[in-house]
Structure formats: C-alpha cells, structure tokens
Amino acid sequence: MSWQHRISQALNTRREKGQFRQRQVNQRGDARTLQVDGRQYLNFAANDYLGLSHDPRIVSAWQKGARRYGVGAGGSGHVTGYSAVHDEFEQQLADWLGYPRALLFISGFAANQAIIAAMLGKGDHIFADKLAHASLLEAAALSPATLRRFAHNQPDSLVKLFHSPQDDGEKLVVTEGVFSMDGDCAPLVELHQLAQHHDGWLLVDDAHGIGVTGEQGRGSCWQQRVKPELLVVTFGKAFGLSGAAVLCGVDSADYLLQFARHLIYSTAMPPAQVCALQASLSCIQQGDELRERLQGNIAQFRRGAGQLGLAIQPSSTAIQPLIVGEENHALRLAEVLRLQGCWVTAIRPPTVPPGTARLRITLSAAHRQEDIARLLEALHEANRR
Ligand SMILES: *Cc1c(COP(=O)(O)O)cnc(C)c1O
C-alpha cells in the first residue's frame, strides 16, 4: 500500500507541475525526418549532427563486422570480450586525439559514472559547472567526495571554490565542452589553468563537441588547444551510433582498468559496433563538407530567428535553444510546431533549471535549406499565436 501510495504521489506531482515525461514511438526516423503515428515530420530534436546514423558506409561496416565477429562480445573486456578490433579502435582514437590511451565504454553515462566512482574518494573535491550533464552530477552526488558547483562557464566562480577552506583531498574540475541544453562552449583554457594552478585535474565531457568542432572534428579541447587529464567523448551524437571513450594517460587507463566497475562488470561493446564506429570515425575525419553544411544551417537559422525577433541564445553550435520559461508554455509551443510538421522537444525542469523550460532545437548537416526555412516559418506562426 505505501509503495503504491509513494509511486502515485510522485506521478501526480510530476503531472501537476507539467513535468510528466512520456516517450513517443516513432515508426522510422533519421537526422532529417521522423515518422510518428503515420505522420511525417522534420526532425529538429536529434543529436545526429552530421547525419551519420544512416550513412550506408557505416551500416555496411556494422553488417560486415557482424558477419565476421557475430553480434555480441560474449563477455566483459576483462574476460573474453576484448577483441582485436576493440584494441585497434582504442589506439586509433588515442592517436587521433593526441592521448597515450583510450578506453571504450558502453555509454557516456557509464563512462562518467565509472570515472567519478573510481577516481574520487572520501576527502576529495569535485568542482562541477552548475549545468554539467546529469550523468556527471549524479555520479558526483553519489560519490563520497564533496560536490560543489560553480556558476555556469564562470572561471571566477571556480576560483572562489579553490580558495574556500578545504582539506587536502584531490580536486577534479568537471565541465562539458559544448553544453547539451544551451549549446554554448566552456572556457576550457581558463578552467584548465585554474585546475593546474591548484594541482587539480580537469575532466571534459565533449559529447556534443566531438565530430562537430575542431580540426577534423576533434572537438572542443582540440579547438581550444587544451588537453584535459580526462576527456570523455561519446558516440551517440555526431558519430551516429552509441558508446563512449575516455582519453587519458597510460597510468590513468591502467588505473581505470583496475577500478572502473562499469567496465569490469559489464559486457563489452559488440565488436561489430566497433567496426561501425571505425567507419564513422573515418567519415568524421573526412567530414569537412558535412561540418560546413551544418555551419551553413546554423547560420541560416540564427539569421532567420534574429529577424523574427526570437530569443535565441549565444550559441554557435548545432544546439539552438529557445528559452520559454514556463513548462506548459514550452509544451504548447512544441505542440503548435508539430501541427506544422516540425518535431522539436520541449525540455523542462528538472533537466534544466526551474523557470528555463525551452525548446531545444537541434540542427544537422542532413537538413536542407528549405527545412530550416520551414522551421522558421513554423516558429513565426507559433510565436504569433
Ligand atoms: C548524451 C550525453 C551523455 C550520455 O552519453 P550516452 O552515451 O548517451 O550515455 C553524457 N554527457 C553528455 C554531456 C551528454 O550530452
């Protein structure tokens, strides 16, 4: 009875606040379009920034890999799940990003949890950007280390944390490269200098930067010429697949192999998927044209939205939020956009801070000029209502 009561109460609270979440079944979809309930939409909600999730070269690499290696790894990497192709791809990633080592993880969420759980203990300190991803803040909250958050993208606020009284523990500064809900970029140079100055380390989660920014798509750190001690890249966004890797030094990699439980007690990524990731990496390395097309779409959107007087944010990336404020208002706007054939997600608290519910518009290289124009028309119409 009390379990039942607790659950229904939590559900009711969510409903009352306009925060109730539901999944939508989509019949099919790619970076550009989405089919829901038999209706076709333009997709402005995916993270498939380069449109690689349906790239025939990558699909075929996965198929070939499955024929050669089967469909599953058959065990943890610590048992028999670590194949030649895992080994090769880790080295490719390390070379590409200029690190001694890379370790594959099944997801970005698992990688972040594993690093924070393995690297930090009682008496240590995590200084995280206020808007860092749930997987980072969640891990930090569960850690015996103390978590303190600094004001979003404000190194001055981080300085204060370093200067506040604290015992001797190790200090880890945590940020995203490109922020997932705002699309703005972290001041990595300043954050890294501060961390180094206080004998701390920097962890950058570049889920939304890798593949998209920096020379050859090497991401935010490469672009800002910063080499954090720990770099997490994920493959669920621009790579078009899923999975993640941690880039780090030799000792850190060996350490994580001893103590990262998400790695040790979990089945390794299917080798066929690693084959697909290798194909995706090569598309990204040769992807200047895709990145230019994406930049063109971003510029077109920002120009148009500015002319319409929409409250666009200072983001030069594929993530273009329109902050609306109130939950139900964001939901209504998303609904109006859908009626006009544009699929956009309303993002509400607790994913974003209270009072900043928003439409999270994401653009892709797969969008055409006329798609962006249609989105702008739909926004104009929604705004007018
Ligand atoms: C998506 C995302 C993750 C989680 O990655 P998955 O591979 O999807 O689990 C972690 N961090 C950030 C910033 C993300 O946007």
Side-chain angles (χ1 to χ4, degrees):
M1 198 48 200
S2 84
W3 271 109
Q4 204 50 51
H5 183 69
R6 183 198 295 190
I7 290 169
S8 55
Q9 206 169 32
L11 291 176
N12 284 339
T13 310
R14 273 279 158 104
R15 285 197 184 93
E16 279 158 16
K17 287 189 181 163
Q19 294 180 350
F20 194 71
R21 300 164 193 250
Q22 274 170 303
R23 298 173 301 175
Q24 283 281 355
V25 177
N26 68 73
Q27 277 94 26
R28 55 183 302 146
D30 55 31
R32 181 174 172 250
T33 61
L34 202 59
Q35 194 181 318
V36 179
D37 287 335
R39 247 200 98 182
Q40 187 86 2
Y41 298 88
L42 287 171
N43 184 0
F44 293 104
N47 298 320
D48 191 359
Y49 302 128
L50 300 179
L52 292 180
S53 70
H54 286 63
D55 190 288
R57 293 165 292 182
I58 304 174
V59 172
S60 133
W62 195 318
Q63 289 166 330
K64 258 202 224 148
R67 277 195 293 274
R68 167 140 185 228
Y69 294 99
V71 291
S76 151
H78 285 60
V79 188
T80 57
Y82 190 66
S83 68
V85 70
H86 288 93
D87 184 39
E88 186 181 89
F89 185 53
E90 284 183 348
Q91 202 48 59
Q92 282 174 333
L93 285 172
D95 292 345
W96 182 50
L97 296 173
Y99 279 80
R101 293 281 290 276
L103 294 178
L104 286 176
F105 281 80
I106 207 74
S107 74
F109 200 100
N112 287 337
Q113 299 275 311
I115 294 172
I116 288 177
M119 307 284 296
L120 294 137
K122 203 166 153 49
D124 294 335
H125 304 273
I126 302 169
F127 298 154
D129 186 288
K130 238 187 174 113
L131 298 187
H133 193 256
S135 56
L136 295 160
L137 291 178
E138 190 92 3
L142 291 172
S143 164
T146 58
L147 164 65
R148 299 190 62 192
R149 304 199 288 169
F150 57 92
H152 175 55
N153 279 350
Q154 290 184 28
D156 287 351
S157 166
L158 174 60
V159 170
K160 291 200 190 108
L161 295 186
F162 273 120
H163 287 163
S164 65
Q166 54 201 258
D167 35 34
D168 287 340
E170 304 302 333
K171 295 163 201 91
L172 183 69
V173 176
V174 173
T175 185
E176 294 182 36
V178 172
F179 280 82
S180 56
M181 294 299 144
D182 294 78
D184 52 351
C185 302
L188 297 175
V189 177
E190 290 92 332
L191 296 181
H192 198 212
Q193 276 169 356
L194 277 172
Q196 287 184 315
H197 184 71
H198 294 91
D199 292 327
W201 274 14
L202 175 65
L203 162 61
V204 177
D205 173 348
D206 204 22
H208 299 275
I210 195 71
V212 183
T213 60
E215 189 198 347
Q216 265 192 20
R218 287 185 178 99
S220 312
C221 296
W222 192 278
Q223 188 180 37
Q224 298 189 38
R225 298 176 200 284
V226 169
K227 199 178 264 190
E229 288 72 20
L230 297 162
L231 167 62
V232 172
V233 299
T234 72
F235 307 130
K237 276 94 186 193
F239 269 74
L241 288 103
S242 72
V246 178
L247 285 297
C248 59
V250 173
D251 283 348
S252 294
D254 283 338
Y255 179 89
L256 287 171
L257 284 172
Q258 314 309 310
F259 300 110
R261 306 165 74 80
H262 300 68
L263 206 56
I264 303 167
Y265 299 106
S266 187
T267 303
M269 181 185 286
Q273 183 179 336
V274 183
C275 296
L277 283 169
Q278 286 184 309
S280 180
L281 173 60
S282 128
C283 292
I284 281 175
Q285 287 170 331
Q286 299 157 30
D288 284 347
E289 210 182 303
L290 290 175
R291 282 183 285 273
E292 269 162 38
R293 211 175 302 157
L294 174 60
Q295 287 309 323
N297 287 343
I298 295 168
Q300 185 191 347
F301 174 79
R302 290 188 65 81
R303 223 170 24 243
Q307 282 162 4
L308 292 176
L310 300 174
I312 45 173
Q313 300 299 306
S315 157
S316 55
T317 68
I319 303 161
Q320 293 290 329
L322 286 181
I323 296 184
V324 171
E326 201 260 319
E327 279 92 329
N328 284 315
H329 188 194
L331 286 176
R332 268 197 310 279
L333 273 176
E335 195 49 48
V336 175
L337 291 175
R338 274 172 209 180
L339 289 173
Q340 301 182 70
C342 293
W343 194 276
V344 173
T345 320
I347 306 272
R348 295 160 287 164
T351 303
V352 291
T356 71
R358 66 196 65 192
L359 297 176
R360 179 178 182 264
I361 296 168
T362 50
L363 304 174
S364 168
H367 291 127
R368 303 172 187 165
Q369 270 183 23
E370 66 255 34
D371 301 341
I372 309 287
R374 201 159 130 214
L375 171 66
L376 287 164
E377 264 169 50
L379 282 167
H380 182 50
E381 178 63 27
N383 214 26
R384 212 175 46 77
R385 286 207 209 166

